Amino acid sequence: MSDWTTALEGRRTSDSRVEFEVGEPGHRAAAKVKVTPLVHLAVLDVVGTGADKLLQGQTSAQVELAKGDFAPLTCFCNAKGRMLANAQLLRVSPERYRLILHRDLVEPLRDHLKKFAPFYKSELSVRDDLALLGLIGTDAAAVAARHLDIAAPSLWHQAGDAERQLLAHPGPQPRVLICLPREQAAATASALAEEAPLVGNAEWCLQDIRAGLAWLTAAHQDALLPQMINWEALGGISFKKGCYTGQEVVARAHFRGQVKKRLAHCRLEGEPLPELGSTIVDENGKSAGEVIAAERDNEGGVELLAVLTTREEIGPLSIENRSVTPLPLPYPIERLDPESLAQATA
């Protein structure tokens, strides 16, 4: 299948990265909204009469809350409570649920869930026929409404129909994620680009970092408890639902306060990007954590999401002799129940 971003004159530097030529000086910086293909994300559909029960037994979300308006964060764990993937859960029709997650993990998650699907009369499909676009900026909702005739929803809610969905994502700048048929993607992006310059998806990923929102990749699959990426502080874990795979471990870590590592927002000195999984060391050269996500900040440095030790005094940090400075997160590290988020007006 051809890459639809080529019609936009995008340059794919990897499966998860697309870049565009910089326009006139100051044009992008002055724009009130920017558009980007979200090629690092992918879509997995779970379809069938028992799709809700299949998901209820495997995911941290309270599936009954996903009624076509609320679109909760969720994660899938192994029996030891370590995450296989994290995602956002949508319901697009009575028997069709949709998961948006990092492209690294969409096929591994499908293969994992396939072990249970026959028992629930359900099927799993990686939706290569769908595309994802992102709008970033103060006018993101207005631009989406003008071009798609769909009013953008509130945070962690969805709007649209079975063909096209809009989701509002957090960050220092308003953001709207658009899921639509691949055959419409290039034309829609071109139309949006008439008033919103095209930018590489690194800008969306930087906004995720600033929002304290980590998407698991292959570098950390099967390695972290959900709380290690602050998932309960983002409403990604329901502690009011019944059992799911890994639930006992996740609940014990929460109620006994056994989480010894937490997601942190940091800045790294210098422009080279560290590899995902790079070790962060303290002043004694001992490991204090590792890199989960990293993007250049356009100011000569790199912003990180890193899983760091929760020790109160860890002193100066570095990656290969480059200084690491902790930055504040935009949310408190405390439990946020998805049940309360679901009550917000869509």
Side-chain angles (χ1 to χ4, degrees):
M1 186 179 291
S2 62
D3 181 1
W4 61 272
T5 63
T6 58
L8 305 172
E9 300 183 353
R11 182 170 68 92
R12 290 293 287 269
T13 59
S14 73
D15 287 344
S16 298
R17 190 58 57 110
V18 62
E19 298 177 352
F20 293 89
E21 294 296 328
V22 176
E24 297 178 5
H27 175 54
R28 293 197 307 168
K32 292 185 177 181
V33 64
K34 303 168 188 177
V35 59
T36 182
L38 303 180
V39 295
H40 61 293
L41 300 176
V43 178
L44 176 67
D45 276 7
V46 185
V47 187
T49 55
D52 55 343
K53 294 181 177 62
L54 166 62
L55 289 169
Q56 183 71 0
Q58 296 300 320
T59 179
S60 65
Q62 183 70 271
V63 175
E64 66 180 14
L65 297 176
K67 299 177 180 179
D69 49 6
F70 182 52
L73 290 175
T74 190
C75 64
F76 298 82
C77 300
N78 64 19
K80 296 181 179 180
R82 267 53 182 179
M83 288 182 294
L84 303 172
N86 62 341
Q88 186 172 12
L89 174 65
L90 295 71
R91 190 177 185 182
V92 295
S93 65
E95 295 183 358
R96 182 179 296 273
Y97 291 85
R98 180 157 293 165
L99 294 161
I100 296 176
L101 64 159
H102 197 278
R103 64 175 296 124
D104 276 4
L105 300 182
V106 67
E107 291 188 3
L109 181 60
R110 176 199 61 189
D111 294 343
H112 170 72
L113 294 177
K114 267 186 175 180
K115 295 181 290 186
F116 311 101
F119 301 104
Y120 295 94
K121 298 180 180 179
S122 298
E123 296 181 354
L124 297 125
S125 175
V126 176
R127 295 298 303 272
D128 292 328
D129 59 323
L130 297 176
L132 300 168
L133 290 169
L135 291 170
I136 308 167
T138 54
D139 285 354
V143 170
R146 281 198 294 272
H147 287 270
L148 288 96
D149 197 27
I150 301 172
S154 59
L155 183 61
W156 301 133
H157 285 70
Q158 69 183 83
D161 52 32
E163 182 179 65
R164 301 178 302 173
Q165 298 89 43
L166 267 59
L167 302 164
H169 276 210
Q173 298 185 56
R175 292 191 291 163
V176 175
L177 183 151
I178 304 166
C179 180
L180 74 171
R182 184 187 179 100
E183 62 189 17
Q184 300 177 15
T188 300
S190 294
L192 291 167
E194 293 178 3
E195 57 179 312
L198 283 160
V199 298
N201 62 318
E203 293 211 23
W204 183 276
C205 295
L206 179 60
Q207 293 297 311
D208 274 341
I209 289 173
R210 291 174 174 173
L213 177 62
W215 296 107
L216 209 67
T217 68
H220 291 93
Q221 183 186 28
D222 207 18
L224 303 173
L225 289 170
Q227 290 96 329
M228 291 180 181
I229 61 167
N230 301 342
W231 214 233
E232 87 282 29
L234 290 163
I237 306 173
S238 172
F239 292 97
K240 299 180 179 181
K241 65 173 288 183
C243 294
Y244 58 91
T245 301
Q247 180 263 346
E248 183 177 352
V249 177
V250 173
R252 186 186 307 123
H254 172 71
F255 290 110
R256 295 186 180 179
Q258 296 176 334
V259 181
K260 297 181 180 180
K261 296 180 180 179
R262 280 286 186 180
L263 193 73
H265 182 200
C266 303
R267 190 171 191 270
L268 175 65
E269 185 180 74
E271 289 193 347
L273 288 176
E275 295 288 334
L276 299 186
S278 293
T279 301
I280 299 174
V281 299
D282 62 19
E283 59 185 337
N284 298 314
K286 294 183 179 180
S287 175
E290 58 186 289
V291 175
I292 301 296
E295 294 294 343
R296 293 181 181 88
D297 64 5
N298 301 318
E299 296 176 1
V302 172
E303 290 191 37
L304 307 174
L305 288 178
V307 171
L308 294 179
T309 176
T310 56
R311 296 199 311 267
E312 290 185 5
E313 298 295 334
I314 57 175
L317 301 172
S318 63
I319 298 174
E320 297 181 349
N321 297 317
R322 296 164 63 191
S323 177
V324 173
T325 304
L327 300 173
L329 283 166
Y331 50 78
I333 304 300
E334 58 187 35
R335 171 175 158 183
L336 175 60
D337 288 327
E339 289 80 4
S340 64
L341 284 175
Q343 295 174 2
T345 303

